[in-house]
């Protein structure tokens, strides 16, 4: 039976100058994960360095199982080593990633090393440094559901139905790697469960009927899942409770519990939260949630937690959201990067609308050591990680592909890049659970407007003076 374990205990840390070797055992000190080494010395918040982490652990390795190591967030330019062997790297400090470490493990004592690198200036805000979000060890059979491989979309069977007498279609795609197994021998059991724990819909689906997943899409995953396929199921919910922002109703949501069976034996189970809601963006009238017109009363919310640094603490994040709610805030833009997954869990539960943002720069840098160094090669992998991880959250209404991006106004390259980013977003959210958007403070410029004309939903930073003029010029734009 597959299992997922929190892998945050027993880590040690050592900070050395950039590029220098670690001091062996005597140089490491115990730390708790999540861990932000930058916040420890508030008198030296611009210290450069290579932060090295190590964790020793014992495992009884089983040949028929796979072992995945999953990082929710590591800042930044990280490299992972398994028993002294380089295993993989990940450049961006905000997107989640994972590696299949099966072949690097031995039966018995093992050691993981993670190197993080911080050089300044790398951001326009406090970034933090290190393994500042949770780490997980996932143990599963060779035939398994892919990481973030469940995609749920909900739709009214008739858009004109009244809420109290409505039937919703819940479309579920489950990506499975059969790794040489016969799909005919596998079955999915799908249960849709309300907040009270009651099963409101249930279905069994044979894995014998499946669709191939494009090589392009699979090539963007951090591990080799060649040959994975997608199994499809349609369920219905009668008169479901809808997910709402807190200011207009209750944020009701459901759990989709999926069990994978081999010859009637359960080998894996996954649970994903989703919600039934409709979102409309109309140029003349604004935003409608479940047919109701509402204003986004939002804030730009950076990832740090003040004196706690970049380490994510659910209780502190919930406290912050409660304060924002008391101020009347109903929407958040995750400025200017992917948030911790637990923040979206809280937004689902508390009824905050979210503009889920990815980048503060593309290929043109804003600071010497920012992510622009890696964007041309790595952005498509970050988008895959971002959308796959967050695509089922009912709180997410927009995918922001960038904030105040130099490329959008400097030259025509911005047009090429925004097209590529939109295509990447829609590759992983083809049914558009959320809409692509961009935030810009360059909207007075011709090139920035050309980019907005492609994406059609544009946030104007510090440019209220342009609202009326641009609305007259671009009747099909949604401006906010």
């Amino acid at each position: 039976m597959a299992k997922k374990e929190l892998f945050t205990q027993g880590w040690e840390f050592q900070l050395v100058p950039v590029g220098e070797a670690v001091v062996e055992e005597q140089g490491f000190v115990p730390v708790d994960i999540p861990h932000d080494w930058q916040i420890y010395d508030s008198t030296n918040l611009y210290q450069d360095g290579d932060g090295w982490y190590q964790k020793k652990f014992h495992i009884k390795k089983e040949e028929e199982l796979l072992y995945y190591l999953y990082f929710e967030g590591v800042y930044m330019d990280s490299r992972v080593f398994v028993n002294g062997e380089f295993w993989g790297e990940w450049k961006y400090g905000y997107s989640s990633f994972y590696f299949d470490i099966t072949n690097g493990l031995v039966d018995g004592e093992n050691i993981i090393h993670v190197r993080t690198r911080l050089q300044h200036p790398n951001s326009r805000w406090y970034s933090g440094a290190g393994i500042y979000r949770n780490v997980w060890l996932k143990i599963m059979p060779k035939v398994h559901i892919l990481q973030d491989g469940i995609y749920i979309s909900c739709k009214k069977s008739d858009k004109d139905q009244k809420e109290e007498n409505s039937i919703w279609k819940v479309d579920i795609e489950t990506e499975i790697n059969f790794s040489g197994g016969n799909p005919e021998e596998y079955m999915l059991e799908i249960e849709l469960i309300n907040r009270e724990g009651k099963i409101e819909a249930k279905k069994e689906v044979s894995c014998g009927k499946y669709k191939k997943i494009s090589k392009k899409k699979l090539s963007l995953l951090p591990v080799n899942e060649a040959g994975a396929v997608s199994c499809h199921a349609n369920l219905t919910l009668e008169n479901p409770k809808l997910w709402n922002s807190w200011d207009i109703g209750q944020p009701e949501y459901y759990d989709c519990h999926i069990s994978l069976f081999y010859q009637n034996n359960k080998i894996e189970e996954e649970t994903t939260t989703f919600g039934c809601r409709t979102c409309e963006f109309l140029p003349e009238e604004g935003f409608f949630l479940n047919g109701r017109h509402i204003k986004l009363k939002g804030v730009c919310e950076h990832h740090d937690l003040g004196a706690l640094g970049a380490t994510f603490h659910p209780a502190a994040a919930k406290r912050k959201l409660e304060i924002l709610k008391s101020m009347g805030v109903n929407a958040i833009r995750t400025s200017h990067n992917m948030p911790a997954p637990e923040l979206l869990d809280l937004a689902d539960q508390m009824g905050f609308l979210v503009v889920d943002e990815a980048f503060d720069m593309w290929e043109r840098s804003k600071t010497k050591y920012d992510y622009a160094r890696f964007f041309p090669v790595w952005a498509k992998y970050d988008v895959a990680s971002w959308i796959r991880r967050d695509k089922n959250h009912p709180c997410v209404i927009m995918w922001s592909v960038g904030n105040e991006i130099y490329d959008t106004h400097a030259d025509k390259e911005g047009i090429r890049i925004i097209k590529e980013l939109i295509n990447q977003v829609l590759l992983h959210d083809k049914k558009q659970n959320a809409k692509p958007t961009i935030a810009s403070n360059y909207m007075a410029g011709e090139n920035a407007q050309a980019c907005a004309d492609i994406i059609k939903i544009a946030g104007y930073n510090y440019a209220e003076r342009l609202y009326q003029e641009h609305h007259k010029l671009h009747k099909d734009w949604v401006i906010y």
Side-chain angles (χ1 to χ4, degrees), residues 182-414:
N182 180 5
E184 297 285 350
E185 297 180 303
Y186 293 82
M187 180 196 75
L188 291 174
E189 180 186 81
I190 302 172
E191 297 173 329
L192 306 184
I193 305 168
N194 66 22
R195 291 179 65 183
E196 288 73 45
K198 178 184 176 183
I199 298 173
E200 295 209 359
K202 184 175 180 178
K203 193 170 190 177
E204 293 181 354
V205 180
S206 169
C207 295
K209 295 182 179 180
Y210 59 81
K211 293 182 179 179
K212 291 184 178 180
I213 304 172
S214 71
K215 291 182 180 180
K216 178 181 179 180
K217 190 174 181 179
L218 291 175
S219 71
L220 299 171
L221 304 184
V223 304
N224 181 9
E225 299 281 12
V229 301
S230 178
C231 297
H232 182 261
N234 275 313
L235 285 80
T236 59
L237 286 172
E238 295 186 12
N239 305 319
K241 295 180 179 179
L242 303 186
W243 188 91
N244 284 290
S245 58
W246 66 263
D247 54 333
I248 65 169
Q250 289 296 317
E252 300 288 351
Y253 51 89
Y254 293 81
D255 283 337
C256 175
H257 186 78
I258 298 180
S259 301
L260 176 62
F261 288 83
Y262 171 65
Q263 295 181 346
N264 296 320
N265 295 311
K266 185 188 294 187
I267 62 172
E268 186 177 12
E269 56 186 2
E270 292 278 352
T271 300
T272 302
T273 298
F274 72 99
C276 295
R277 48 80 164 152
T278 63
C279 294
E280 290 182 282
F281 298 85
L282 303 178
E284 293 291 338
E285 299 174 66
F287 175 69
F288 290 77
L289 179 65
N290 299 323
R292 183 169 176 177
H293 180 260
I294 65 171
K295 295 286 189 182
L296 302 185
K297 293 169 281 188
V299 296
C300 290
E301 184 61 46
H302 283 272
H303 71 293
D304 69 278
L305 289 167
L308 297 177
T311 53
F312 187 82
H313 299 277
K318 184 178 181 181
R319 174 181 176 272
K320 181 185 282 191
L321 292 178
E322 287 172 342
I323 293 171
L324 291 173
K325 184 177 177 179
S326 71
M327 295 164 52
V329 171
N330 68 355
I332 292 168
R333 177 156 66 107
T334 64
S335 309
H336 300 290
N337 45 259
M338 304 84 169
E342 294 90 345
L343 181 74
L344 297 182
D345 292 338
L346 287 170
D348 286 340
Q349 296 160 16
M350 299 175 69
F352 283 88
L353 299 159
V354 175
V355 180
D356 197 343
E357 195 156 71
F359 305 112
D360 190 54
M361 73 294 294
W362 293 347
E363 294 182 0
R364 290 177 175 267
S365 63
K366 294 180 178 178
T367 59
K368 183 176 180 180
Y369 295 107
D370 67 23
Y371 183 65
R373 295 174 291 158
F374 308 117
F375 184 93
V377 172
W378 283 87
K380 60 186 178 182
Y381 302 105
D382 294 305
V383 172
S385 165
W386 168 44
I387 305 298
R388 286 175 62 85
R389 191 195 72 176
D390 297 350
K391 61 187 180 293
N392 296 320
H393 284 280
C395 66
V396 176
I397 60 171
M398 284 185 269
W399 305 116
S400 176
V401 297
N403 170 71
E404 300 178 356
I405 301 296
Y406 288 171
D407 312 61
T408 62
H409 77 101
D411 55 38
K412 300 297 183 183
E413 280 298 288

Side-chain angles (χ1 to χ4, degrees), residues 8-24:
T8 55
Q9 300 298 310
W11 288 85
E12 297 176 303
F13 176 75
Q14 181 177 162
L15 181 64
V16 300
V18 173
E20 291 193 12
V22 297
V23 180
E24 294 304 326

Side-chain angles (χ1 to χ4, degrees), residues 21 27 61 86 119 125 138 140-141 168 212 214 268 312 352 368 385 402 455 469 480:
K61 188 178 180 183
F86 171 68
Q119 294 173 279
W125 55 82
K138 189 171 182 180
M140 56 196 170
W168 286 65
K212 291 184 178 180
S214 71
E268 186 177 12
F312 187 82
F352 283 88
K368 183 176 180 180
S385 165
I455 207 163
E469 175 189 346
Y480 65 99

Side-chain angles (χ1 to χ4, degrees), residues 61-62 65-68 87 99-106:
K61 188 178 180 183
E62 298 183 41
L65 295 178
L66 298 174
Y67 300 81
Y68 280 17
W87 211 252
F99 297 119
D100 179 355
I101 63 172
T102 306
N103 293 335
L105 297 178
V106 296

